């Protein structure tokens, strides 16, 4: 077979969950085996209601794993090893239930435990009733998984086993084979930032008023985390300095967690020199000069007066000329009015190389939302991008970074 030569010799851990589409997984195994792929299977209890362990074992030419608590299974191959001795983990069919467990990190059977324990990339082929597929809970789970780097193929639309028509049909076996092949093509593909080092700031900073209260900027950290993930996917060695956020840690990134702007600055100076710095954090411009060691109490008199003092500007500090200056320093401009004019002034004021300007006025949905509409300012040029997901903004920004950097990681500023 020469249609997908990149599959030859690869090892797949195939998780077959409980859905009628499990019958298609038998064909998937056969098609993968024909292309030289070693397929090891976990068949869940639900999956075994639809297809037998014997047929899975016969087609995969391997033992089938089902029980987390089987002494034989555990002594032959612990679930941790099982989850890691593959190049890729494929979940087909991926039921709504299993996707929910993956999103929440629940490990209550062999399949979910292996999926939580794996250090390998995961591809899911969802299969379910169309209402279950469209349910906000399923969509939110999927969005979480995709943000964590889980890949997806399908589902398609059509007549479903339950008699209804709509989205929810598991992708056909050859579509899944093609998606697996795509993964191996991408992972072997060019890593334009290999050998580069990058620093990214993300999330808000917190500035204490007293031990229980603080000042904070609005920021979900999603854009900054997506940029760190995209830089790492491009091959860069990334340090992500993050204020408190609910974002999952991006894969392959070193995270330094901080609270205040001053701590963020210190954490940013530590990894220098780096090739690239992207400051996406919403740093609090001020901190409370007269922050208290003890909780402020209501005394019945005047409310307390907070005296604010300016925080260090991390972006401006990193942009200062000197031996430690990154080759490329990129800032963000969160503006609520006169977006381009304010951003152009900010670019000059901060001394950075590029500025990504975004409108954060109420009603734009930028804070905490999925999408971002940005303008990339480089010198006098302004490039307006269409509205994209924050992940797509990150990918496009990283492509621009890779194109702009000089050929060798050690060469001079661009
Ligand atoms: N920034 C920073 N340190 C600060 C303040 C901001 O590194 N103390 C960075 C942000 O990460 C962002 C850029 O500077 O990359 C612009 O942040 P923004 O909040 O838009 O601007 P400000 O500097 O706060 O300026 P202004 O208050 O005039 O909008």
């Amino acid at each position: 077979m020469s249609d997908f030569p990149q599959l030859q010799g690869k090892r797949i851990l195939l998780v077959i969950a409980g859905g009628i589409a499990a019958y298609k997984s038998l064909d998937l195994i056969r098609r993968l085996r024909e292309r030289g792929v070693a397929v090891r299977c976990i068949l869940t209890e639900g999956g075994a209601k639809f297809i037998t362990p014997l047929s899975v074992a016969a087609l995969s030419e391997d033992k089938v794993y089902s029980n987390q608590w089987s002494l034989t299974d555990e002594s032959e191959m612990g679930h941790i090893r099982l989850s890691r001795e593959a190049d890729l983990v494929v979940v087909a069919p991926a039921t709504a239930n299993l996707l929910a467990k993956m999103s929440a990190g629940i490990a209550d059977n062999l399949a979910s435990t292996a999926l939580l324990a794996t250090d390998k990339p995961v591809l899911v082929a969802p299969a379910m009733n169309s209402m279950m597929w469209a349910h906000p809970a399923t969509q939110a789970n999927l969005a979480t998984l995709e943000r964590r780097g889980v890949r997806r193929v399908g589902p398609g639309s059509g007549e479903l086993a339950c008699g209804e028509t709509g989205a929810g049909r598991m992708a056909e076996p050859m579509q899944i084979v093609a998606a697996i092949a795509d993964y191996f093509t991408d992972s072997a593909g060019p890593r334009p930032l290999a050998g580069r080092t990058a620093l990214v700031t993300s999330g808000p900073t917190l500035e204490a008023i007293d031990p229980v209260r603080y000042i904070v900027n609005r920021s979900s950290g999603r854009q900054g985390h997506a940029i760190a993930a995209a830089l790492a996917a491009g091959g860069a060695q990334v340090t992500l300095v993050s204020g408190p956020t609910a974002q999952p840690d991006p894969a392959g990134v070193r995270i330094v967690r901080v609270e205040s702007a001053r701590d963020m600055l210190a954490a940013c100076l530590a990894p220098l020199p780096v090739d690239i710095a992207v400051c996406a954090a919403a740093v609090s411009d001020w901190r409370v000069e007269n922050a208290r060691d003890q909780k402020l109490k209501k005394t019945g008199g005047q409310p307390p007066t907070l005296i604010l003092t300016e925080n260090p500007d991390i972006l401006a500090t990193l942009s200062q000329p000197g031996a430690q200056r990154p080759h490329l320093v990129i800032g963000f401009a969160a503006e609520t009015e006169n977006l381009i004019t304010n951003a152009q002034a900010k670019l000059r004021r901060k001394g950075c190389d590029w500025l990504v300007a975004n409108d954060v006025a109420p009603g734009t949905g930028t804070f905490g939302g999925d999408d971002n509409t940005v303008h990339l300012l480089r010198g006098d040029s302004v490039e307006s991008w269409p509205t994209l997901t924050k992940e797509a903004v990150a990918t496009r920004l990283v492509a621009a970074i890779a194109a702009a950097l000089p050929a060798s990681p050690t060469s001079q500023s661009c």
Side-chain angles (χ1 to χ4, degrees), residues 85-366:
E85 278 196 355
D87 300 306
L88 177 70
V89 181
V90 178
V91 187
T95 57
N97 183 42
L98 188 51
L99 291 171
K101 285 184 189 176
M102 288 170 70
S103 161
I106 292 171
D108 64 349
N109 60 21
L110 182 60
S112 54
T113 305
L115 284 161
L116 193 62
T118 191
D119 59 352
K120 293 301 181 323
V122 177
L123 169 75
V124 296
M128 65 198 75
N129 164 273
S130 54
M131 296 298 274
M132 291 168 81
W133 170 250
H135 197 286
T138 304
Q139 291 304 312
N141 290 333
L142 220 23
T144 302
L145 292 173
E146 286 180 348
R147 269 207 304 284
R148 287 181 202 150
V150 169
R151 290 186 167 220
R152 170 165 70 89
V153 52
S157 288
E159 205 170 301
L160 304 173
C162 54
E164 292 179 14
T165 305
R169 270 174 76 91
M170 187 170 92
E172 296 305 318
M174 276 313 294
Q175 289 176 311
I176 302 177
V177 170
I180 295 171
D182 279 352
Y183 163 74
F184 287 113
T185 307
D186 291 354
S187 60
R191 303 204 356 126
L193 296 175
R196 306 284 186 180
T197 47
L199 169 71
V200 179
T201 69
S202 184
T205 62
L206 305 190
E207 308 298 335
I209 295 172
D210 66 19
V212 295
R213 304 180 181 94
Y214 53 78
I215 298 176
V216 69
N217 276 26
R218 279 185 203 276
S219 168
S220 67
R222 182 154 165 197
Q223 186 64 79
H225 277 53
I227 290 168
L231 285 164
Q237 201 182 315
V238 183
T239 302
L240 172 61
V241 181
S242 176
T245 78
Q247 297 300 317
D249 293 354
V253 164
R254 186 175 82 91
I255 296 222
V256 183
R257 289 189 179 76
V258 295
E259 286 207 341
S260 70
R262 285 185 294 177
D263 291 347
M264 185 172 270
L265 175 63
C268 285
L269 297 179
L272 296 183
V274 294
D275 296 304
I276 308 148
V278 184
C279 292
V283 183
S284 178
D285 288 321
W286 301 281
R287 65 177 181 276
V288 182
E289 195 177 62
N290 55 339
R292 314 298 206 280
D293 292 338
Q294 302 298 330
K295 185 182 173 192
L296 281 163
K297 304 298 281 184
K298 294 186 288 292
T299 54
Q302 286 290 316
T305 305
L306 301 181
I307 302 169
L308 299 181
T309 186
E310 205 165 315
N311 264 328
D313 192 311
I314 299 160
L315 176 61
T317 307
L318 292 172
S319 301
Q320 273 165 18
Q324 297 277 74
R325 189 191 193 278
H327 293 304
L328 183 59
V329 184
I330 305 173
F332 268 73
E335 305 292 343
T336 55
E337 56 180 356
N338 304 326
L339 179 61
I340 302 295
T341 324
N342 281 347
Q344 279 168 330
K346 201 169 274 183
L347 176 65
R348 286 190 289 275
R349 201 168 67 238
K350 303 268 185 177
C352 55
D353 302 302
W354 299 357
L355 201 78
V356 182
N358 57 354
D359 190 346
V360 295
T364 58
T366 305

Side-chain angles (χ1 to χ4, degrees), residues 4 60 128 140 145 189 232 239 322 385 390 399 405 412:
F4 295 115
S60 67
M128 65 198 75
L145 292 173
T239 302
W385 293 1
K390 289 178 179 171
L405 283 174
Q412 278 311 296

